[in-house]
Amino acid sequence: MPLFVKIVLGTSSLAVLMALLPFLTVVVAILWGCSLLLSALYLDQKRLITVIIINIIIVLSLSGLEETLFLLAFFIIPAVVISLGAQQDRDYYQLQRGGVTVAVIAISLLLGGLYFSTGDMGMAQLEQEIAAQVEEIVEYYDDVGLMNIYEEQGISAQELKEALVSFMGAAVRHLPAFYYLQAIMAVFFMLFLASFRCQKRNLNRLIRKPFDQEIMPWQMAWVVILGLALWLWGRDQLSTIYYIGSNILLLTVPIGLYYGLAAVVYRIRQYKQRTRRIMVIVLAVLSLLFTASAIIFFTVIGLFDSLLDYRRLRTKEE
């Protein structure tokens, strides 16, 4: 069977699963993007574009226009961009930057369209649904006798309702951060899996650095500063500015955490083996005991490392 036909059948099968299995969309979309990226290493641009068009037609015919728009923004467009870039022989980190940039732009356009069409990206409807669900939860607690336990602790049914509504409302207000993070992580794993596959096949393509050599782009530090400024500016009134800032901070924490861990691993590897083991055990125990503090610690290290370049990685490149 010709290679082109195998690629069409393989990517099309994953496209069908991506459209028909919504509970596995993220996993299947990552595998589909990885397969498309690997296909770009073997196909010329014309055939690669043909594969892309066939897959988009399949998704559109099975999912409908509305669902396809979401899949395009979150997964398909970023995967297409990095695949076309790989076909043009760009390196791993050029593809990563391009894919993340396109993913952020696509999600921003999607959320902007939802905002202008609904006025609040559907937040009001979600909050109404949350209020109804909270009522059902409290009624269930009352029926099974759990409310008696809360009342013994001095928490009334009304206070429990208000706490649940507040918590779930805050989660809804931070959905944009999770949307962006989902698309960014999809790009990351598409590239990571494709790079791993290339290494297994001994292909000199999509070469990534060792984990302890990873460093966050310095521009991300200024994104964090912007988010912190907006968060502080709108904190008193809990305005839209406040939630924009908090969404930016929530989005950048996992990214800073990843690169902070890379910096710590690099530093630990500078010590002798016995000392390394002790440091790893101590860090693991402290992270389990003080998880929130550990997340903040590693995130701050990642941020400052991007600006100060503790490991002199950029100096070595120059």
Side-chain angles (χ1 to χ4, degrees):
M1 185 183 296
L3 178 61
F4 176 70
V5 176
K6 290 182 180 180
I7 289 174
V8 170
L9 292 176
T11 55
S12 298
S13 299
L14 289 170
V16 170
L17 293 176
M18 182 167 56
L20 296 181
L21 301 176
F23 56 93
L24 290 175
T25 296
V26 176
V27 175
V28 177
I30 290 172
L31 295 176
W32 174 81
C34 175
S35 66
L36 187 66
L37 180 54
L38 290 171
S39 301
L41 305 179
Y42 297 97
L43 300 177
D44 57 38
Q45 191 175 66
K46 184 177 179 181
R47 290 192 174 186
L48 178 62
I49 292 174
T50 302
V51 171
I52 293 169
I53 292 173
I54 291 171
N55 280 259
I56 291 176
I57 291 173
I58 290 171
V59 172
L60 180 61
S61 61
L62 294 175
S63 298
L65 180 59
E66 184 176 344
E67 184 65 25
T68 301
L69 288 175
F70 281 89
L71 292 174
L72 282 169
F74 279 88
F75 310 112
I76 296 177
I77 292 177
V80 168
V81 168
I82 61 177
S83 298
L84 291 173
Q87 202 273 331
Q88 296 171 6
D89 203 23
R90 294 180 181 173
D91 67 35
Y92 183 93
Y93 295 97
Q94 287 177 321
L95 297 178
Q96 190 180 73
R97 287 192 295 269
V100 169
T101 301
V102 169
V104 170
I105 293 172
I107 298 298
S108 298
L109 291 174
L110 178 65
L111 294 179
L114 289 173
Y115 179 81
F116 284 112
S117 62
T118 63
D120 58 357
M121 294 186 293
M123 295 294 184
Q125 182 179 355
L126 283 173
E127 289 177 348
Q128 291 175 0
E129 293 175 0
I130 286 172
Q133 290 176 359
V134 168
E135 288 287 344
E136 294 177 3
I137 291 171
V138 173
E139 288 178 6
Y140 173 76
Y141 282 5
D142 194 26
D143 292 339
V144 299
L146 289 176
M147 278 307 305
N148 294 332
I149 299 175
Y150 284 106
E151 289 173 355
E152 289 174 0
Q153 297 176 356
I155 303 173
S156 65
Q158 184 61 33
E159 289 174 336
L160 180 61
K161 288 180 185 179
E162 291 175 356
L164 288 173
V165 168
S166 176
F167 173 78
M168 297 176 74
V172 168
R173 293 292 175 183
H174 291 92
L175 281 177
F178 290 105
Y179 292 155
Y180 283 110
L181 188 60
Q182 180 175 297
I184 291 171
M185 294 305 294
V187 171
F188 176 88
F189 282 110
M190 287 175 191
L191 281 164
F192 179 84
L193 293 176
S195 174
F196 179 78
R197 186 65 174 171
C198 286
Q199 291 176 8
K200 287 293 184 181
R201 294 183 177 182
N202 294 319
L203 297 176
N204 193 28
R205 300 291 301 276
L206 301 179
I207 300 172
R208 61 187 296 271
K209 300 173 185 176
F211 175 63
D212 63 350
Q213 299 291 317
E214 299 271 4
I215 184 170
M216 188 172 71
W218 61 268
Q219 294 88 345
M220 281 298 301
W222 292 105
V223 174
V224 175
I225 292 171
L226 173 63
L228 184 60
L230 294 174
W231 180 77
L232 292 172
W233 185 9
R235 185 174 57 175
D236 293 336
Q237 295 81 24
L238 296 182
S239 60
T240 302
I241 293 174
Y242 167 83
Y243 285 110
I244 292 174
S246 60
N247 272 275
I248 292 174
L249 293 176
L250 182 60
L251 170 63
T252 53
V253 164
I255 299 173
L257 175 63
Y258 173 84
Y259 290 106
L261 284 171
V264 171
V265 169
Y266 176 87
R267 183 57 59 189
I268 290 175
R269 287 182 176 174
Q270 306 302 309
Y271 296 96
K272 295 180 180 180
Q273 186 172 3
R274 185 177 178 180
T275 307
R276 287 204 302 265
R277 290 178 180 175
I278 295 173
M279 292 184 69
V280 169
I281 292 171
V282 171
L283 282 174
V285 171
L286 290 176
S287 297
L288 289 173
L289 294 176
F290 308 101
T291 304
S293 299
I295 291 173
I296 295 172
F297 172 72
F298 290 123
T299 302
V300 170
I301 287 179
L303 292 173
F304 278 94
D305 182 53
S306 69
L307 290 174
L308 302 178
D309 192 11
Y310 299 128
R311 295 167 283 170
R312 299 293 183 265
L313 300 178
R314 297 193 182 102
T315 305
K316 294 175 183 177
E317 290 177 358
E318 292 172 4

